[in-house]
Amino acid sequence: MKILVLNCGSSSLKFQLIETTPELIASNQDRLLARGEIEKIGSADSIVSFSAHGGAPAKSSRPILSHKEAIQTAFECMSTAQGIVSDLKEIEGVGHRVVHGGEYFKQSTVIDDDVVHRIESLIELAPLHNPHNLKGYYASKALLPHATQVAVFDTAFHQTLPPRAYLYGLPYLYYTRDKIRRYGFHGTSHRYVSYRFAQIHNAKRDAYKMITCHLGNGCSVCAIDQGQSVDTSMGFTPLEGLLMGTRAGDLDAGAVLYLVGRAEMGLHEVDVVLNKNSGMYGISGVSNDMRELEAEAAKGNSRAQMAIEVFCYRVAKYIGAYFAVMNGADALIFAGGIGENAPAIRDRICASLGALGIRIDTKKNMDAVGVEMDISADAGTSAVLSSSTAGASTQVWVIPTNEELLIARDTLRSILKIPHP
């Protein structure tokens, strides 16, 4: 079955066309037919990038004034490329990344009027994302009326968190009335790499305790016990947790109140500071890109060095905390742009975790750039040892995440009414 995966932002559209079946999923042989990105939607010089069958992307510029036009452009790209689709009716399902599913959605679901209503009711929890995710739904429904539309939620995987993990120390009324709680994000990434780890070992996710680290411009860590998310670093919004590219991460709310009074900032100014001007960029004053920070640190830039040190310290601290939450871990998994491509950062994070049985092989770690690899110091054994006892080893893996593939698979399962793993 050919599945179109859509990720709609405020002025961008990312898409992939993936061919998958239950048999292809079982053998990890799903086929990526095409992928693309359209940027600067709403302008006269929108940028279109498209590649077919894994080839080099071709770029062009043209006026694209709406998300519907953007999706129509994606269809044109796929229709004109050889061997992709000869008729749009070949696309039987469309999987939409939806950022916030609140407490309503614990798994991916076929979109109907009730689902749309519930997504709309959650706009106040994700005002920068859910409205644009819905734009993609309305546009693709109009252009592909025959296809089944499926919503795949960033938050769904974390709906297994127990109250002790998701409740804040606020008056309980704010949870019952205003739904203020930890929701967690990056759920599709954490779920994919945990599934992939189990698949590599010919087992099910519920056989393991895993700590998964999605490290990129946005970052989060997740504790996964027997296939279920039991804690995660992002909270009510994606602002909480690790130091990120431009997000502050964990921060004393009192510091915010102090700044509001001292600098006379309004809500908008506070939002900009915490989400756009903080994180690695805020500390370094140079960049939110880890590659640039590493280059600057090598030149002796002390603030770049400090940003990297704070970043690695926060990740290691969360790994240690989640080791305690689960009373051990069988595997530590790195994913995301930094997690997959920055050996020096992985090395710094793991350097202080030896007491937890976490040790990496220097050469394997250096070789693991954008590839799936066991980088454990004792990588010779294929069996995963239980880490519930002191001194046992914890496997360390790099597993490139593939959120689009998971969305395509969930869309197929939803259409065929196959239970979600």
Side-chain angles (χ1 to χ4, degrees), residues 256-265:
V256 178
L257 297 175
Y258 176 79
L259 276 177
V260 168
R262 185 178 179 86
E264 297 183 349
M265 292 190 294

Side-chain angles (χ1 to χ4, degrees), residues 25 53 69 73 163 217 221 246 257 289-290 330 342-343 417:
I25 293 174
H53 302 296
E69 285 185 41
T73 300
N217 191 49
V221 182
T246 60
L257 297 175
D289 190 310
M290 183 61 79
D330 299 304
K417 299 182 179 180

Side-chain angles (χ1 to χ4, degrees), residues 8 13 78 160 267-268 359:
C8 289
L13 170 70
M78 290 186 289
T160 53
L267 288 176
H268 175 71
R359 299 175 182 86

Side-chain angles (χ1 to χ4, degrees), residues 210-290:
M210 295 179 243
I211 299 172
T212 53
C213 302
H214 179 101
L215 307 179
N217 191 49
C219 304
S220 64
V221 182
C222 184
I224 303 172
D225 191 354
Q226 298 183 357
Q228 295 191 330
S229 173
V230 295
D231 206 344
T232 189
S233 57
M234 283 182 167
F236 179 66
T237 74
L239 181 60
E240 188 181 1
L242 303 177
L243 192 77
M244 305 179 219
T246 60
R247 297 177 196 150
D250 288 340
L251 181 68
D252 183 350
V256 178
L257 297 175
Y258 176 79
L259 276 177
V260 168
R262 185 178 179 86
E264 297 183 349
M265 292 190 294
L267 288 176
H268 175 71
E269 287 83 2
V270 170
D271 180 73
V272 170
V273 168
L274 296 181
N275 283 290
K276 302 294 184 182
N277 296 331
S278 297
M280 291 186 287
Y281 172 74
I283 292 176
S284 71
V286 175
S287 176
N288 65 323
D289 190 310
M290 183 61 79

Side-chain angles (χ1 to χ4, degrees), residues 144-339:
L144 289 177
H146 65 280
T148 302
Q149 313 280 328
V150 174
V152 181
F153 301 92
D154 278 11
T155 53
F157 182 56
H158 303 301
Q159 281 300 296
T160 53
L161 265 63
R164 63 176 179 267
Y166 71 68
L167 284 176
Y168 290 116
L170 293 169
Y172 197 66
L173 172 67
Y174 297 140
Y175 166 62
T176 57
R177 185 188 67 190
D178 303 314
K179 300 303 179 185
I180 296 178
R181 52 158 287 176
R182 180 182 307 280
Y183 288 102
F185 300 87
H186 290 150
T188 50
S189 178
H190 292 296
R191 185 176 146 215
Y192 173 80
V193 297
S194 63
Y195 169 84
R196 179 61 189 146
F197 176 84
Q199 186 181 45
I200 292 168
H201 292 85
N202 296 313
K204 294 183 177 180
R205 282 184 309 169
D206 60 12
Y208 304 111
K209 298 176 182 180
M210 295 179 243
I211 299 172
T212 53
C213 302
H214 179 101
L215 307 179
N217 191 49
C219 304
S220 64
V221 182
C222 184
I224 303 172
D225 191 354
Q226 298 183 357
Q228 295 191 330
S229 173
V230 295
D231 206 344
T232 189
S233 57
M234 283 182 167
F236 179 66
T237 74
L239 181 60
E240 188 181 1
L242 303 177
L243 192 77
M244 305 179 219
T246 60
R247 297 177 196 150
D250 288 340
L251 181 68
D252 183 350
V256 178
L257 297 175
Y258 176 79
L259 276 177
V260 168
R262 185 178 179 86
E264 297 183 349
M265 292 190 294
L267 288 176
H268 175 71
E269 287 83 2
V270 170
D271 180 73
V272 170
V273 168
L274 296 181
N275 283 290
K276 302 294 184 182
N277 296 331
S278 297
M280 291 186 287
Y281 172 74
I283 292 176
S284 71
V286 175
S287 176
N288 65 323
D289 190 310
M290 183 61 79
R291 294 165 296 187
E292 295 178 12
L293 290 177
E294 288 186 295
E296 284 295 316
K299 297 175 186 176
N301 185 319
S302 61
R303 285 179 58 185
Q305 293 169 351
M306 190 183 305
I308 294 172
E309 184 175 351
V310 174
F311 176 86
C312 295
Y313 175 81
R314 291 266 187 103
V315 179
K317 185 167 72 170
Y318 266 96
I319 291 170
Y322 290 165
F323 208 93
V325 163
M326 297 189 294
N327 191 27
D330 299 304
L332 170 64
I333 302 171
F334 289 98
I338 297 172

